[in-house]
């Protein structure tokens, strides 16, 4: 839901997949609209015909249902016959390069040992169906931001993110470096964290890059019987230091469950990865500054996934309190 520089939250009900400048990122992935409306239209006949053709010469395809949660792509579960398969169709706004990025990323990941969908087909420029699109395998499970035990869920999130960051860098040739455009930061509208980040933030870009999901949060992973089963929304995957994904996921966990759960996530990540992100307090300020103007826009994604108890005012309050806490931590260390 909140991605750093591109926008956060493109999650799916049972499978899915989601650059820009830091600030605009967050709002973008959350509320991308086409002709003034979020893309929710069912797949056109051309899309179903294309999906069937990709699967096999005698195949047919039909729409099962829309997968909830995403606001960047129209995401639908399809079922094919001859052969029988369940696949996920993701359609993006005309001109959007996300389909091409997602196809490239999924080919490089090659399923990530079962943790990521596999690419079945791609129409990156929309020449086949009228909209850029990807067709991907369906992973088991569903998105869930209302776990019975948030700490247990956070620990699994930390371990899963460590797996992503462990992917050999040699497989990532041509992936964009998201930190290349992260600075300078416009301090005029980035909130109280902006001055500290403007003064020291460039150090973040100098840290060692890893495979970065770019929108890693509770809504972009799948769960089954309390176990994390997969990671979706790979269209933004890039190169960045560890703290990029870590800080954005921590911010989401603060908004959803509170700071203690965010700390559980960080502890689990460090244990699984064997190292911590460099300067975690500064990374938290990075996420906070880049979401200062847009945190309220994340509300529809939270509501779509069942957190209807949250309000825009509540998100702003939690964001403000977390900013103050992390500024205090940063100031004490400098």
């Amino acid at each position: 839901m909140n991605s750093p520089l591109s926008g956060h939250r493109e999650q799916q009900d049972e499978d899915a997949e989601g650059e820009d400048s830091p600030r605009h990122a967050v709002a973008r992935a959350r509320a991308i609209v086409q002709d003034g409306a979020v893309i929710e239209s069912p797949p056109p006949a051309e899309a179903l015909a294309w999906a069937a053709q990709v699967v096999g010469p005698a195949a047919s395809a039909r729409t099962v249902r829309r997968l909830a949660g995403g606001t960047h792509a129209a995401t639908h579960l399809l079922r094919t016959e001859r052969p029988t398969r369940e696949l996920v169709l993701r359609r993006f706004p005309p001109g959007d390069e996300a389909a091409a990025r997602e196809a490239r990323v999924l080919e490089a990941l090659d399923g990530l040992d079962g943790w990521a969908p596999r690419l079945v087909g791609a129409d990156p420029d929309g020449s086949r169906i009228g909209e850029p699109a990807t067709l991907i395998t369906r992973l088991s499970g569903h998105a869930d931001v209302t776990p019975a035990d948030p700490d247990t869920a956070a620990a699994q999130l930390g371990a899963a993110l460590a797996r992503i960051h462990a992917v050999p860098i040699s497989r990532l040739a041509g992936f964009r470096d998201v930190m290349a455009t992260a600075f300078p930061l416009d301090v005029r509208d980035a909130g109280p964290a902006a001055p500290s980040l403007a003064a020291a933030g460039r150090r973040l870009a100098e840290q060692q890059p890893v495979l970065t999901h770019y929108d890693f949060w509770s809504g972009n992973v799948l769960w089954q019987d309390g176990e994390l089963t997969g990671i979706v929304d790979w269209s933004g995957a890039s190169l960045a230091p560890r703290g990029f994904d870590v800080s954005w996921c921590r911010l989401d966990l603060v908004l959803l469950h509170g700071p203690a759960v965010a700390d559980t996530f960080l502890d689990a990540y460090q244990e699984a990865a064997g190292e911590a992100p460099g300067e975690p307090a500064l990374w938290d300020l990075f996420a906070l500054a880049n979401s200062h103007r847009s945190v309220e826009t994340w509300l529809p994604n939270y509501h779509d996934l069942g957190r209807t108890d949250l309000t825009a005012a509540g998100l702003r309050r939690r964001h403000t309190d977390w900013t103050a806490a992390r500024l205090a931590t940063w100031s004490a260390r400098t």
Side-chain angles (χ1 to χ4, degrees):
M1 280 194 56
N2 327 347
S3 191
L5 284 59
S6 71
H8 185 122
R9 292 24 206 224
E10 164 93 14
Q11 143 293 326
Q12 295 348 316
D13 163 11
E14 286 205 340
D15 239 85
E17 293 305 293
E19 303 192 312
D20 328 31
S21 78
R23 234 178 14 257
H24 299 152
V26 180
R28 180 173 177 273
R30 295 209 153 161
I32 299 248
V33 297
Q34 179 178 355
D35 297 329
V38 174
I39 316 174
E40 294 184 351
S41 60
E46 294 84 353
L48 297 178
W50 170 71
Q53 184 180 43
V54 169
V55 171
S60 62
R62 65 180 178 86
T63 303
V64 176
R65 60 188 171 87
R66 175 179 174 266
L67 298 179
T71 52
H72 184 189
T75 305
H76 290 81
L77 177 64
L78 305 186
R79 180 167 290 126
T80 68
E81 303 295 341
R82 302 182 307 276
T84 300
R85 297 182 68 179
E86 286 193 333
L87 301 171
V88 175
L89 174 68
R90 287 168 46 78
R91 293 149 43 229
F92 297 85
D96 196 314
E97 297 180 355
R101 288 196 305 270
E102 181 165 275
R104 183 170 62 251
V105 168
L106 293 182
E107 285 183 334
L109 294 178
D110 193 27
L112 198 62
D113 297 326
W115 290 98
R118 291 183 180 275
L119 182 70
V120 178
D123 183 13
D125 60 1
S127 59
R128 299 296 303 278
I129 73 170
E131 302 164 307
T134 56
L135 187 66
I136 61 177
T137 57
R138 181 190 185 193
L139 300 178
S140 62
H142 60 278
D144 184 9
V145 300
T146 61
D149 185 347
D151 282 301
T152 298
Q156 292 190 57
L157 282 170
L161 183 58
R163 293 189 189 98
I164 295 174
H165 290 174
V167 171
I169 203 82
S170 60
R171 293 170 57 179
L172 311 178
F175 278 42
R176 63 182 180 137
D177 178 358
V178 297
M179 298 305 290
T181 57
F183 298 97
L185 180 73
D186 186 350
V187 299
R188 294 172 300 176
D189 51 9
S196 296
L197 191 63
R202 288 185 182 275
R203 299 206 300 263
L204 301 180
E206 297 171 357
Q207 295 177 8
Q208 184 69 28
V210 295
L211 171 62
T212 296
H213 182 277
Y214 195 74
D215 197 8
F216 187 82
W217 72 294
S218 306
N220 274 338
V221 300
L222 304 177
W223 304 86
Q224 191 168 46
D225 299 327
E227 297 294 323
L228 196 155
T229 58
I231 304 160
V232 297
D233 187 11
W234 288 93
S235 62
S238 314
L239 295 176
R242 298 172 182 275
F244 190 94
D245 279 338
V246 169
S247 63
W248 284 98
C249 189
R250 274 170 56 79
L251 175 55
D252 257 305
L253 291 171
V254 168
L255 298 176
L256 288 166
H257 307 297
V261 174
D263 288 342
T264 297
F265 161 77
L266 180 59
D267 290 343
Y269 174 85
Q270 292 180 194
E271 181 177 356
E275 62 182 286
E279 302 192 278
L282 189 58
W283 275 111
D284 285 334
L285 295 180
F286 175 87
L288 286 160
N290 285 305
S291 58
H292 177 72
R293 294 187 62 193
S294 58
V295 66
E296 290 90 350
T297 69
W298 301 356
L299 189 64
N301 297 63
Y302 292 140
H303 280 188
D304 202 16
L305 293 174
R307 286 300 305 268
T308 55
D309 58 304
L310 296 175
T311 65
L315 293 182
R316 174 55 62 186
R317 182 173 59 255
R318 294 183 185 193
H319 191 280
T320 299
D321 291 347
W322 184 234
T323 301
R326 299 315 282 158
L327 277 172
T329 298
W330 175 249
S331 297
R333 295 181 180 182
T334 57

